[in-house]
Amino acid sequence: MKHTLNLLAFDLGASNGRGILGRFDGERITMQELHRFENDYIPLNGILYWDSLNLFHQSKQALYAFKRAGLGDLAAFGVDTWGVDYGLLDRNGHLLGSARSYRMSVDEDMERVWKVLPFAEQFRRTGVAAQNYNTVYQLCRRQAEGDVALEQAETLLMTPDLIGYFFSGEKASEYTITTTSMLYNPAAGDWDWASIDQLGLPRKIFPRIDRAGTIRGHLRQDIAEEIGINRAAHAAVGCHDTASAVAAIPGQGNFAFCSSGTWSLFGVETDKPILTDAVRDANFTNEGTVQGGFRPLKNIMGLWLIQECRRDWAKAGSKYSWDEIVQMAQREQPLRSIIDPDYGPFFNAGHMEEKIRDYCARSGQPVPETPGQIARCIYESLALKYRWALERLEEIKGARLDTLNIVGGGIQNKLLNQMAADAIDRPVVTGPIEGAAIGNLLLQAVALGELKNLEEVRQVVRRSESVDVYEPHHTQAWEDAYGRLLESAQKV
């Protein structure tokens, strides 16, 4: 290839969204952020919503920014987002109300489904962990409520497919994002029609499934004319942001990965799902990879904990930057208070500081009082939870994992990176920071025929991105703290 391709990733997270330009010359890719915006759920009448139309509007601003840059034609664009959430379209292709946020989910949503379809059978069919926010549980909740939008729906589109539909008019469900729904059957390679029928969900709403690295359509004519650009190809990428981030991991050999952001997605890659009782009982899930395989992984409640605390502090009048929070944590006593990041009440929004203090009090530990103590407690507890997940993955694979590769925005927290190495007693490799975006961009190159497969994608990442290595400094204090993590989880 003798020319440079202009590619655009819409990388939309549960706290912010970005439009990122990738310029690919066949050997390396360079990235430039064109537009960034905040994204947050909106509470209304007891329901939490996403502003899907604003996600589209803000994403479109990146296209305007590309036009202003004067770089020629845009070859392709792709969309990745968080998992499980979706929008509903009517028979005319119009959005039926605002999309709901998974943050309103409760355990009763799962328990209602299990009366009809026990979890053990759900896991056998889908390989997905029991998480109250899974799409299947969200849909059955709306069904139980007699939700009018669900009754009128003609098509369900997962969030990245919904935003992509707004841009191209094409309706499809990309494989990696589909696997987060708990409505995909790996053995059949299709929607889990048996469960859909058993639960009384309408078959008609589930669209065709396509794969990362394929062309889905092109930018709508009216949008192209409005902005003044060509009708770029709409590429199905790893539409689940974790899938795109893992595709961009430059690691080699026997490694575990962690995509660090609002969630810490901690796992390994396999060709087939692992459906053993041990995986089910540890509540690990099997999500799809861009190459059509699977990622047995644990959803660890990641930087959501500190994000919620930061929101609480801001409401109280203390607006700390992320760097300020890390600096405060560094000054505090190490390993003073340890929490289980996956403690149920931590999932829901609001009053996170109070929840953390209550956990520490109930488990007989010193109660963190200052923002620095709260932050240090969160970071150290996350690092220790990584050790727990690593040990479970080694049991599942039956082999030692030599390194941990962390990608995503969370790697900007160097304190947490070092804590992770110290806690797991293995080297931690971090990078690239824009894991989901670079994976998104390079899967567009695959769709365009410029790259052949995942190995070529990772070769480009290794040529384009630098990584940092954190060597472990494991001490008996970390061993003792790990014991406290396990012990505290039994007490609360």
Side-chain angles (χ1 to χ4, degrees):
M1 186 176 66
K2 297 179 181 179
H3 57 289
T4 296
L5 284 181
N6 293 315
L7 309 168
L8 182 58
F10 298 115
D11 179 31
L12 310 179
S15 58
N16 65 74
R18 291 89 49 76
I20 296 179
L21 173 67
R23 308 204 75 210
F24 180 51
D25 65 5
E27 294 292 323
R28 292 178 174 81
I29 189 164
T30 58
M31 294 188 293
Q32 176 188 350
E33 185 177 290
L34 296 179
H35 183 61
R36 175 185 288 264
F37 61 94
E38 294 294 315
N39 182 37
D40 204 352
Y41 52 80
I42 301 168
L44 180 64
N45 294 334
I47 296 177
L48 302 182
Y49 295 101
W50 297 113
D51 191 345
S52 303
L53 297 181
N54 187 58
L55 281 173
F56 168 65
H57 171 73
Q58 293 290 348
S59 298
K60 193 161 68 170
Q61 304 315 301
L63 288 174
Y64 278 107
F66 173 77
K67 170 64 175 177
R68 290 192 298 270
L71 297 172
D73 283 349
L74 180 64
F77 67 92
V79 186
D80 69 81
T81 77
W82 66 98
V84 306
D85 283 339
Y86 60 92
L88 298 172
L89 304 177
D90 67 14
R91 64 185 181 184
N92 295 318
H94 301 312
L95 187 64
L96 280 163
S98 296
R100 293 188 177 192
S101 168
Y102 69 92
R103 284 290 175 190
M104 62 182 286
S105 302
V106 293
D107 287 351
E108 286 79 7
D109 299 336
M110 294 190 295
E111 293 159 4
R112 183 186 303 110
V113 168
W114 293 345
K115 291 176 182 177
V116 179
L117 178 59
F119 170 61
E121 179 61 17
Q122 269 194 305
F123 183 83
R124 188 191 68 78
R125 293 178 184 179
T126 67
V128 175
Q131 297 159 149
N132 62 20
Y133 47 80
N134 290 339
T135 314
V136 62
Y137 302 131
Q138 294 192 48
L139 287 170
C140 288
R141 175 177 179 164
R142 296 178 77 156
Q143 181 187 56
E145 294 170 348
D147 181 67
V148 174
L150 183 59
E151 293 175 2
Q152 295 178 343
E154 192 74 21
T155 308
L156 177 149
L157 292 178
M158 305 297 281
T159 304
D161 300 317
L162 179 68
I163 303 303
Y165 164 74
F166 292 157
F167 278 111
S168 70
E170 296 294 330
K171 302 173 187 174
S173 190
E174 187 272 328
Y175 164 72
T176 67
I177 197 73
T178 302
T179 63
T180 72
S181 68
M182 208 180 196
L183 285 167
Y184 179 83
N185 187 314
D190 199 356
W191 292 103
D192 180 19
W193 297 115
S195 295
I196 288 167
D197 291 343
Q198 192 170 345
L199 294 170
L201 296 172
R203 273 187 171 229
K204 66 178 182 179
I205 68 175
F206 299 100
R208 68 181 177 89
I209 299 171
D210 62 7
R211 294 284 178 141
T214 58
I215 298 297
R216 182 176 289 179
H218 290 80
L219 187 66
R220 288 167 52 107
Q221 183 70 37
D222 58 330
I223 296 176
E225 290 177 355
E226 172 193 339
I227 297 171
I229 62 173
N230 63 297
R231 296 190 65 197
H234 175 198
V237 296
C239 288
H240 186 206
D241 52 11
T242 309
S244 277
V246 172
I249 288 176
Q252 296 173 292
N254 209 15
F255 65 88
F257 66 79
C258 177
S259 180
S260 176
T262 300
W263 290 89
S264 288
L265 293 308
F266 199 109
V268 292
E269 292 180 303
T270 58
D271 293 332
K272 297 179 183 287
I274 301 178
L275 304 176
T276 63
D277 291 349
V279 173
R280 182 194 67 207
D281 294 344
N283 215 33
F284 276 63
T285 198
N286 291 272
E287 294 178 351
T289 64
V290 298
Q291 62 269 41
F294 290 86
R295 289 175 283 110
L297 61 80
K298 178 70 174 178
N299 285 317
I300 298 171
M301 221 172 305
L303 295 173
W304 161 256
L305 300 172
I306 195 69
Q307 289 168 356
E308 278 295 284
C309 288
R310 184 174 180 246
R311 272 190 272 267
D312 289 343
W313 296 328
K315 289 175 184 176
S318 298
K319 295 186 177 181
Y320 301 117
S321 71
W322 292 116
D323 287 343
E324 287 172 333
I325 293 171
V326 169
Q327 289 165 10
M328 289 188 292
Q330 284 177 313
R331 293 193 289 266
E332 296 296 340
Q333 178 185 338
L335 301 169
R336 181 174 179 266
S337 308
I338 301 300
I339 60 174
D340 180 357
D342 292 325
Y343 176 54
F346 294 157
F347 171 80
N348 296 109
H351 309 291
M352 190 63 71
E353 257 193 315
E354 293 177 25
K355 295 173 187 175
I356 290 171
R357 290 186 179 121
D358 178 67
Y359 182 105
C360 292
R362 292 172 62 190
S363 58
Q365 301 181 84
V367 175
E369 299 294 343
T370 67
Q373 288 175 344
I374 290 280
R376 183 143 198 144
C377 169
I378 290 171
Y379 297 149
E380 289 173 336
S381 299
L382 271 177
L384 289 164
K385 191 72 177 192
Y386 291 173
R387 172 174 169 178
W388 179 88
L390 187 79
E391 290 180 354
R392 302 292 84 72
L393 285 170
E394 288 181 329
E395 292 170 3
I396 290 166
K397 288 201 76 175
R400 177 182 169 85
L401 295 165
D402 299 321
T403 60
L404 171 62
N405 282 61
I406 307 180
V407 297
I411 69 171
Q412 295 172 93
N413 188 330
K414 295 183 178 181
L415 177 64
L416 177 56
N417 297 339
Q418 186 60 57
M419 287 175 173
D422 296 346
I424 69 172
D425 198 20
R426 314 282 164 85
V428 165
V429 181
T430 63
I433 186 171
E434 298 287 2
I438 193 171
N440 178 326
L441 293 164
L442 291 176
L443 262 295
Q444 294 176 44
V446 172
L448 294 170
E450 304 292 344
L451 295 173
K452 293 178 183 177
N453 51 37
L454 182 63
E455 179 50 39
E456 289 195 359
V457 166
R458 286 179 169 161
Q459 287 173 7
V460 173
V461 175
R462 286 192 283 271
R463 288 192 293 264
S464 305
E465 296 285 323
S466 60
V467 299
D468 293 320
V469 179
Y470 295 80
E471 295 295 340
H473 304 295
H474 192 68
T475 62
Q476 185 60 42
W478 280 104
E479 284 294 320
D480 295 343
Y482 185 55
R484 284 160 52 207
L485 168 71
L486 302 177
E487 184 181 336
S488 71
Q490 300 297 319
K491 289 183 177 179
V492 295

